[in-house]
């Protein structure tokens, strides 16, 4: 509810407003307690209304979210990459340039991970899970391989030896 500015009030209205402001300033705890009580009283009704509104407009919410994700795909990927691995977009771009747009492990120029529309996503920012240090950019397959071997170099060497043993 919008209130009139003080300049538009009559002298009696202005005096009443000033009295109430002063009273609320002195009784802050009482006001906060009252507002919290009102909040709790109305919480179920607000929740029920929100759920009902969402159900009535569900398709619009879904379409709006889909459109947003489509328009902001690169920004969202950068956000989640930084949140998961700590790799900023600037770090990613620098590594990508340093690696000539190729996987640091296999040298493939295809990221190897695909989203639902069949387009390749960015390379994975490989990072040390203990220190958080970014090691490089990997294609999806190399990143999955290292991940499945739990970032354990001994296990990785054993896997390489195993493969070499059965080479024909």
């Amino acid at each position: 509810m919008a209130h009139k500015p003080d300049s538009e009030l009559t002298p009696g209205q202005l005096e009443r407003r000033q009295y109430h402001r002063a009273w609320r300033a002195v009784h802050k705890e009482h006001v906060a307690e009252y507002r919290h009580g009102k909040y709790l009283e109305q919480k179920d009704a607000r929740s029920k209304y929100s759920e009902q509104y969402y159900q009535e407009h569900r398709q619009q919410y879904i379409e709006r979210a889909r459109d947003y994700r489509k328009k902001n795909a690169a920004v969202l990927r950068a956000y989640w990459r930084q949140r998961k691995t700590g790799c900023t977009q600037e770090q990613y771009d620098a590594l990508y340039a340093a690696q000539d747009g190729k996987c640091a492990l296999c040298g493939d120029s295809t990221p190897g991970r695909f989203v639902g529309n069949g387009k390749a996503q960015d390379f994975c920012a490989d990072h040390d899970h203990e220190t958080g240090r970014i090691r490089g950019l990997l294609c999806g397959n190399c990143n999955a391989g290292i991940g499945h071997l739990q970032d354990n170099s001994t296990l990785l060497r054993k896997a390489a030896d195993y493969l070499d043993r059965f080479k024909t």
Side-chain angles (χ1 to χ4, degrees):
M1 178 165 121
H3 294 286
K4 289 183 183 179
D6 289 352
S7 60
E8 293 181 18
L9 297 177
T10 65
Q13 290 172 326
L14 182 59
E15 187 178 329
R16 196 170 351 180
R17 181 178 282 177
Q18 289 169 341
Y19 168 80
H20 285 289
R21 282 183 183 155
W23 188 90
R24 285 192 298 272
V26 172
H27 299 91
K28 286 181 183 177
E29 287 181 22
H30 177 75
V31 171
E33 195 175 300
Y34 175 81
R35 285 184 177 160
H36 185 66
K38 284 291 183 190
Y39 167 80
L40 292 177
E41 284 176 19
Q42 298 166 358
K43 187 176 181 181
D44 288 340
R46 279 193 316 274
S47 183
K48 194 180 292 183
Y49 173 78
S50 294
E51 179 61 28
Q52 180 183 354
Y53 185 87
Y54 174 77
Q55 290 303 328
E56 291 171 3
H57 300 87
R58 186 169 186 267
Q59 198 56 40
Q60 290 171 323
Y61 275 98
I62 291 169
E63 289 169 12
R64 201 175 316 141
R66 186 182 307 122
D67 291 346
Y68 179 84
R69 285 192 303 272
K70 221 180 253 185
K71 288 177 188 173
N72 299 291
V75 172
L76 291 170
R77 273 197 312 275
Y79 168 78
W80 283 109
R81 180 187 313 114
Q82 184 168 2
R83 186 156 178 205
K84 278 182 79 174
T85 67
C87 181
T88 65
Q89 187 62 43
E90 292 77 23
Q91 289 173 313
Y92 181 89
D93 293 340
L95 284 168
Y96 188 84
Q99 294 176 201
D100 295 324
K102 296 179 181 173
C103 173
L105 200 56
C106 70
D108 193 356
S109 59
T110 306
R113 289 183 1 189
F114 296 90
V115 290
N117 59 10
K119 292 183 180 174
Q121 274 188 327
D122 295 341
F123 283 97
C124 303
D126 179 44
H127 66 288
D128 186 319
H129 291 263
E130 291 179 17
T131 65
R133 189 176 139 261
I134 308 297
R135 294 185 283 225
L137 302 179
L138 302 178
C139 68
N141 292 332
C142 291
N143 188 56
I146 287 177
H148 288 303
L149 293 172
Q150 303 159 351
D151 293 352
N152 184 329
S153 58
T154 306
L155 197 54
L156 188 58
R157 283 186 199 92
K158 285 182 179 181
D161 292 342
Y162 172 82
L163 290 175
D164 289 344
R165 228 180 332 170
F166 292 99
K167 255 187 182 172
T168 55

